[in-house]
Amino acid sequence: MKILAILYSGGEAARQEPRLLGTTENQLGIREWIEKQGHEFIVSEDKEGPDSVFQKHIVDAEVLITTPFHPGYLTADLISKAKNLKICITAGVGSDHIDLNAAVERGIEVLEVSGSNVVSVAEHVVMSILLLVRNFVPAHEMIERGDWQVSEVARNAYDLEGKVVGTIGAGRIGFRVLQRLRPFDCKELLYYDYAPLPEHAAKEINARRVEDLKEFVSQCDVVTVNCPLHEGTRGLVNAELLSHFKKGAWLVNTARGAICDRDAVAAALKSGQLSGYSGDVWNVQPAPKDHIWRTMKNPLGGGNGMVPHYSGTTLDAQARYAAGTKSILENYLANSPQEPQNVIVGRKGYETKAYGQR
Ligand code: NAI
């Protein structure tokens, strides 16, 4: 059987650091195991265009392994050409790079390693909230430049204590973000999600649900986005919704770049409607060199906490999603049942409610 994996090239770093398992060099640590069983394992980062390794091998691969960090975009068109494809495994969390509706139609299973990096992301969100609210990046850049003008950075630095923080999406990550914010004594923790938190979970973090999105954002000093990308969330944070944000709010998005409208966010930051935008996800990955989110700033020259997509790919997370990928593959090869929480699309359609209300 042909197993195709689209991973990112880790270069020198991956040769020096074998725990960078999600790279083309270290191949999730499963090459030997796969080949011992007589299967073919094609691994590449080459994913764009009809001559790419991805598009050449997808036509007869039975298993596709992809990572959200360097997504091989499996469109409906490619699915129609992938005659042999039975299962897509996401080494990580977030399968929006696969046309899930087309997978449902063809009966192709889609699985994720649910939970594998949710703590990694939640920690990154808490860090991003703090670095925006405290105006950390411009302060650090000032030090590197050799300058020392405390008032220049203090003029836009605040405490997180006493602020209202809300998450769009209160699943594994959103819940963990609010849970980690408890000791900061925020004024209130809010969430917006069509699925209410179980009573004990809402009680544990003392979070209030707001059912109308505009009302929700208008109450938050900080909004963090933690829902999957699907038809109902693409472009959700657009110019119209941003106009309902509190003036000068901070926005953190580690979910998916395309949930926030690129130009509307840049304009809101430039005008000061947003004081800051931070995250690690982009509408196209890798992000082009001239992507406006790389350099956009608020009127005081700060408010940008963007990094490449790495919040969910710490070395700890890589160990977990590599082991999880192997376990899903093991179940598939042995025709054993999969862990229910990992199944996004099963043989009979969607098995999760997280990718939209249907
Ligand atoms: P989850 O499935 O546990 O939770 C998602 C929550 O979002 C669910 O409660 C669902 O009801 C809610 N939701 C869905 N559509 C919504 C909408 N229209 N409005 C409000 N809420 C909505 O997923 P988890 O593990 O918390 O991950 C969430 C997302 O975070 C992933 O789908 C992925 O896109 C992203 N992620 C990013 C990573 C990174 O490295 N930056 C790593 C891992 C996940």
Side-chain angles (χ1 to χ4, degrees):
M1 131 182 1
K2 183 183 275 190
I3 300 170
L4 171 63
I6 300 301
L7 305 174
Y8 61 91
S9 157
E12 197 44 39
R15 281 185 283 277
Q16 288 172 4
E17 179 47 84
R19 290 175 299 173
L20 283 167
L21 285 164
T23 58
T24 51
E25 289 78 4
N26 298 324
Q27 315 197 335
L28 297 163
I30 54 175
R31 174 172 289 284
E32 215 184 294
W33 174 74
I34 287 177
E35 286 181 343
K36 252 195 201 150
Q37 300 173 70
H39 303 302
E40 187 184 1
F41 192 33
I42 311 280
V43 178
S44 178
E45 69 159 350
D46 182 21
K47 65 187 181 79
E48 303 299 336
D51 296 327
S52 62
V53 172
F54 177 39
Q55 295 207 14
K56 256 182 10 221
H57 287 279
I58 196 69
V59 294
D60 61 350
E62 180 168 333
V63 178
L64 172 68
I65 301 173
T66 48
T67 118
F69 308 102
H70 181 76
Y73 295 101
L74 190 66
T75 58
D77 180 46
L78 281 183
I79 286 182
S80 71
K81 293 178 182 147
K83 300 286 181 224
N84 238 352
L85 190 62
K86 302 266 183 345
I87 180 169
C88 299
I89 306 173
T90 300
V93 173
S95 300
D96 50 276
H97 54 286
I98 295 165
D99 188 321
L100 296 175
N101 292 331
V104 169
E105 251 173 55
R106 267 280 311 278
I108 296 170
E109 293 179 88
V110 180
L111 284 95
E112 298 180 353
V113 190
S114 292
S116 57
N117 51 14
V118 296
V119 166
S120 322
V121 179
E123 288 185 3
H124 192 99
V125 173
V126 172
M127 174 185 76
S128 297
I129 291 173
L130 283 168
L131 71 82
L132 288 182
V133 171
R134 306 199 59 90
N135 207 22
F136 175 84
V137 175
H140 178 70
E141 287 169 347
M142 171 184 288
I143 285 302
E144 285 204 1
R145 278 198 312 274
D147 293 343
W148 187 284
Q149 284 291 336
V150 173
S151 54
E152 277 303 307
V153 288
R155 71 187 294 189
N156 204 22
Y158 298 85
D159 296 339
L160 183 54
E161 184 182 52
K163 305 295 183 291
V164 177
V165 183
T167 175
I168 299 179
R172 295 177 184 87
I173 297 174
F175 172 78
R176 282 167 179 76
V177 169
L178 298 187
Q179 194 184 36
R180 278 157 180 74
L181 288 176
R182 287 280 285 150
F184 286 90
D185 292 332
C186 294
K187 186 171 175 191
E188 243 197 323
L189 300 176
L190 308 181
Y191 76 98
Y192 169 82
D193 195 317
Y194 52 70
L197 279 169
E199 207 176 309
H200 65 91
K203 222 169 158 185
E204 179 193 328
I205 55 174
N206 195 20
R208 176 166 66 86
R209 181 176 179 210
V210 181
E211 292 192 45
D212 179 85
L213 183 57
K214 286 177 191 161
E215 252 177 55
F216 167 82
V217 297
S218 72
Q219 295 175 35
C220 293
D221 297 296
V222 181
V223 174
T224 150
V225 184
N226 297 295
C227 57
L229 173 62
H230 55 76
E231 319 74 295
T233 59
R234 187 174 293 276
L236 185 68
V237 184
N238 55 18
E240 167 29 39
L241 188 67
L242 283 162
S243 72
H244 293 273
F245 275 54
K246 268 193 192 175
K247 170 110 182 122
W250 296 276
L251 176 58
V252 173
N253 175 17
T254 52
R256 284 296 175 258
I259 296 172
C260 295
D261 181 285
R262 184 194 58 188
D263 296 334
V265 163
L269 191 63
K270 190 172 178 197
S271 73
Q273 173 62 10
L274 285 179
S275 279
Y277 183 86
S278 184
D280 67 331
V281 285
W282 305 73
N283 58 340
V284 187
Q285 294 192 177
K289 277 202 162 55
D290 61 352
H291 197 294
I292 192 161
W293 285 6
R294 288 181 185 262
T295 51
M296 62 186 180
K297 298 275 193 303
N298 65 25
L300 296 174
N304 185 328
M306 290 306 293
V307 292
H309 191 169
Y310 86 112
S311 71
T313 195
T314 57
L315 294 181
D316 301 299
Q318 295 198 37
R320 290 189 294 262
Y321 67 66
T325 301
K326 184 177 176 193
S327 153
I328 291 170
L329 198 50
E330 223 160 14
N331 289 336
Y332 177 74
L333 295 173
N335 209 10
S336 304
Q338 299 285 358
E339 299 285 331
Q341 81 270 10
N342 289 340
V343 186
I344 304 302
V345 174
R347 290 192 186 132
K348 293 193 187 118
Y350 281 96
E351 291 201 11
T352 174
K353 293 191 169 69
Y355 280 83
Q357 290 169 296
R358 293 186 168 80

